[in-house]
Amino acid sequence: QIIFRQTKEKYSKDALFAEDDVIKIRRESFLAIVEKLQVYNLSKTSDDVKGIAFEKFLGTTFRGELGQFFTPRTIVEFMTEILDPQEGERVCDPCSGSGGFLINAFEYIRESIKQSIENKKENIKIHYFDEQYENASDSEKERIEKQVDDLFTQLNNELNLDNTDSRIFQLSHKCIYGTDANPRMARVSKMNMIMHGDGHGGVHHNDGLLNINGIFEERFDVILTNPPF
């Protein structure tokens, strides 16, 4: 409960949990879970792995009761590829369910940002490690390598969610939005996005037809959704 309280405090801005929320689990169940999981260090796994595990857990926990909230992943990927969202475009899912469309859009754009940074790194290497570098003295080579390292560090910082000026931060905090009318699913969607490395979860519990919390008509470039008819 102490760790859960710390988690609630960390994500208090995102309204992920209510103040009076507690973990409702029997001691025996908790001990059994710890026994199964204690051999793993989840803090050292990638966000993608944690996100996939979370989705698998969701699928078995909510199947039937909340089946209408899950669009098959292949359909989600197919629709995202067709719409081809770009960096800087605002994406919205007004019926976000478990967050599948928003997560896929986030990952799709994130991959394009990563590729752009890799391309820049390749161009830097071509520019600095030329024939002049090959013929340079050891001290001159060291100076050039230091320059390249500094440029690489700057580029890597573009992928840092803690850097408010980074391209990934801008994507996470200013481009991905969602709402869901079901309070439980809005929370699941937000948590799912955080687990997939979004670090923010710009999803709100609201009617997707209302202008509210940064979601309003004419604001978005891309709408990805599967309304629960």
Side-chain angles (χ1 to χ4, degrees):
Q1 297 296 351
I2 291 169
I3 293 169
F4 182 51
R5 191 174 70 241
Q6 291 167 347
T7 305
K8 286 196 293 185
E9 287 167 3
K10 180 174 180 179
Y11 292 101
S12 58
K13 290 200 302 292
D14 298 316
L16 194 53
F17 302 102
E19 242 179 85
D20 58 351
D21 277 349
V22 292
I23 294 178
K24 296 169 184 171
I25 187 168
R26 289 186 302 119
R27 175 182 168 81
E28 294 75 19
S29 302
F30 191 76
L31 290 172
I33 292 167
V34 170
E35 189 179 359
K36 294 282 187 191
L37 291 180
Q38 64 185 348
V39 296
Y40 303 107
N41 185 346
L42 296 179
S43 66
K44 291 186 177 177
T45 58
S46 71
D47 290 322
D48 289 344
V49 171
K50 285 196 277 273
I52 291 165
F54 187 68
E55 282 190 351
K56 289 287 183 189
F57 163 74
L58 285 184
T60 54
T61 306
F62 293 148
R63 189 168 290 125
E65 179 199 351
L66 298 170
Q68 72 268 33
F69 296 99
F70 294 87
T71 307
R73 195 174 182 89
T74 46
I75 302 293
V76 171
E77 290 171 356
F78 174 62
M79 289 172 64
T80 305
E81 283 177 24
I82 285 176
L83 282 174
D84 189 28
Q86 301 295 307
E87 183 180 1
E89 290 184 333
R90 291 194 184 97
V91 180
C92 180
D93 182 350
C95 312
S96 61
S98 63
F101 281 111
L102 297 177
I103 289 161
N104 203 252
F106 173 77
E107 290 178 339
Y108 187 89
I109 300 169
R110 181 176 63 183
E111 282 310 306
S112 73
I113 292 172
K114 284 181 177 178
Q115 191 55 56
S116 157
I117 286 170
E118 285 305 312
N119 292 342
K120 285 184 178 180
K121 285 181 177 179
E122 285 303 315
N123 289 334
I124 287 170
K125 285 195 274 190
I126 290 167
H127 178 74
Y128 282 91
F129 297 144
D130 54 7
E131 194 176 332
Q132 193 174 340
Y133 169 82
E134 293 297 330
N135 298 323
S137 64
D138 287 347
S139 60
E140 181 64 12
K141 279 183 179 176
E142 202 173 304
R143 187 187 65 79
I144 293 169
E145 286 162 8
K146 172 75 167 59
Q147 269 185 299
V148 170
D149 282 346
D150 289 345
L151 290 169
F152 276 24
T153 300
Q154 286 175 26
L155 286 172
N156 288 337
N157 211 25
E158 293 292 345
L159 298 172
N160 183 0
L161 260 176
D162 295 326
N163 171 19
T164 55
D165 295 321
S166 75
R167 291 163 72 178
I168 289 291
F169 184 93
Q170 297 300 313
L171 167 63
S172 171
H173 287 69
K174 298 185 178 176
C175 296
I176 307 289
Y177 293 85
T179 60
D180 200 276
N182 181 302
R184 190 177 180 194
M185 288 317 296
R187 178 183 295 183
V188 165
S189 182
K190 194 185 287 271
M191 176 61 84
N192 203 0
M193 290 177 69
I194 289 169
M195 292 291 282
H196 273 84
D198 168 74
H200 173 56
V203 178
H204 307 281
H205 166 224
N206 276 303
D207 184 336
L209 299 175
L210 300 179
N211 291 340
I212 198 159
N213 283 339
I215 294 171
F216 46 84
E217 283 187 66
E218 307 299 334
R219 182 173 193 200
F220 297 100
D221 306 290
V222 177
I223 301 290
L224 267 163
T225 193
N226 182 5
F229 293 117

